[in-house]
Amino acid sequence: MKKLGILLIMVTFAINVQAQTKWKVDPFHSSLNFTIEHSGISMVNGKFTNYSGTLTTEEEELSDAKFKFTVHVESINTNVEKRDQHLRSADFFEVEKYPEMSFKSNEIIKTGKLDHYLLFGDLTIKGITKEVVFDLYYGGKVKTDQGEKLGLKAETTINRLDYNIDYDPTGAGIAKDVNIVAHLQFVKQ
């Protein structure tokens, strides 16, 4: 009887492990972008070019998915090198002290809209962790010669002052709110 119980536990564990699907972000078909208002009259666009991310799903629905994402902050790119150097400095990201920022999901809730979810998680920038909510849009899956792929779009707005990025704290020249949009393609592992 004891052996039967152990066997059932092992089979249950094996089924649960097999039910998990791991996905890895494809940086060649993804982008991590941001926009911020400048002087109250225009927007500055930027992106991060060095990042990695994983997604783990247990079923077809995304409501059980787990995300982990790491961004190498020194890869910031606004197409103006002098500005990028300033953004890497202690006035903004302090990349020498805080080389990475990260996101780890806590919960995903399907909304009433088709292929729309709310993605809750912890965003860490400069050693400060705050919960954020992304609007997550499921683009679908496709099978290619390179394997199965899954597409997502995630967007949110954060207040940079919450993360001790407090250069121009009044927001007169550089707005407080930063819009983040990630276009993500994951490859099944």
Side-chain angles (χ1 to χ4, degrees):
M1 188 65 152
K2 185 178 178 182
K3 288 181 182 179
L4 180 61
I6 292 172
L7 180 61
L8 286 174
I9 290 170
M10 289 174 55
V11 167
T12 302
F13 179 74
I15 289 171
N16 286 337
V17 169
Q18 288 179 348
Q20 285 190 342
T21 304
K22 297 200 184 280
W23 304 81
K24 184 177 177 183
V25 74
D26 176 359
F28 296 109
H29 298 100
S30 299
S31 62
L32 180 55
N33 312 288
F34 64 89
T35 56
I36 189 167
E37 193 174 280
H38 186 259
S39 298
I41 60 170
S42 64
M43 300 297 282
V44 171
N45 297 304
K47 62 185 174 183
F48 292 92
T49 59
N50 188 0
Y51 50 86
S52 60
T54 59
L55 165 65
T56 303
T57 57
E58 292 183 21
E59 297 178 22
E60 286 297 311
E61 283 288 320
L62 286 178
S63 56
D64 63 355
K66 303 285 186 225
F67 288 86
K68 288 184 181 177
F69 221 83
T70 302
V71 178
H72 299 280
V73 183
E74 79 279 352
S75 72
I76 195 166
N77 183 342
T78 64
N79 290 319
V80 177
E81 185 56 36
K82 189 173 181 177
R83 177 173 49 215
D84 295 345
Q85 289 173 3
H86 190 202
L87 290 169
R88 292 179 189 114
S89 77
D91 284 344
F92 290 93
F93 285 106
E94 275 185 276
V95 297
E96 295 292 324
K97 187 173 181 181
Y98 305 103
E100 295 179 345
M101 61 180 160
S102 63
F103 175 80
K104 182 180 179 187
S105 66
N106 297 326
E107 180 181 19
I108 297 178
I109 298 173
K110 187 169 178 60
T111 69
K113 298 177 185 174
L114 183 64
D115 297 330
H116 178 236
Y117 298 79
L118 296 177
L119 172 61
F120 295 81
D122 294 326
L123 177 63
T124 302
I125 302 173
K126 290 182 72 173
I128 298 170
T129 302
K130 300 277 184 183
E131 184 174 70
V132 296
V133 181
F134 282 87
D135 283 302
L136 183 69
Y137 301 94
Y138 175 65
K141 289 182 189 173
V142 66
K143 290 186 180 183
T144 69
D145 294 341
Q146 294 84 33
E148 191 171 355
K149 298 185 178 190
L150 178 145
L152 299 168
K153 176 184 174 184
E155 54 188 339
T156 194
T157 300
I158 62 168
N159 183 330
R160 65 183 174 85
L161 300 179
D162 290 343
Y163 298 93
N164 201 25
I165 301 174
D166 54 8
Y167 183 82
D168 185 13
T170 65
I174 302 167
K176 297 174 187 177
D177 288 341
V178 181
N179 301 308
I180 301 169
V181 179
H183 298 279
L184 303 170
Q185 190 173 107
F186 289 88
V187 179
K188 189 175 183 178
Q189 299 299 292

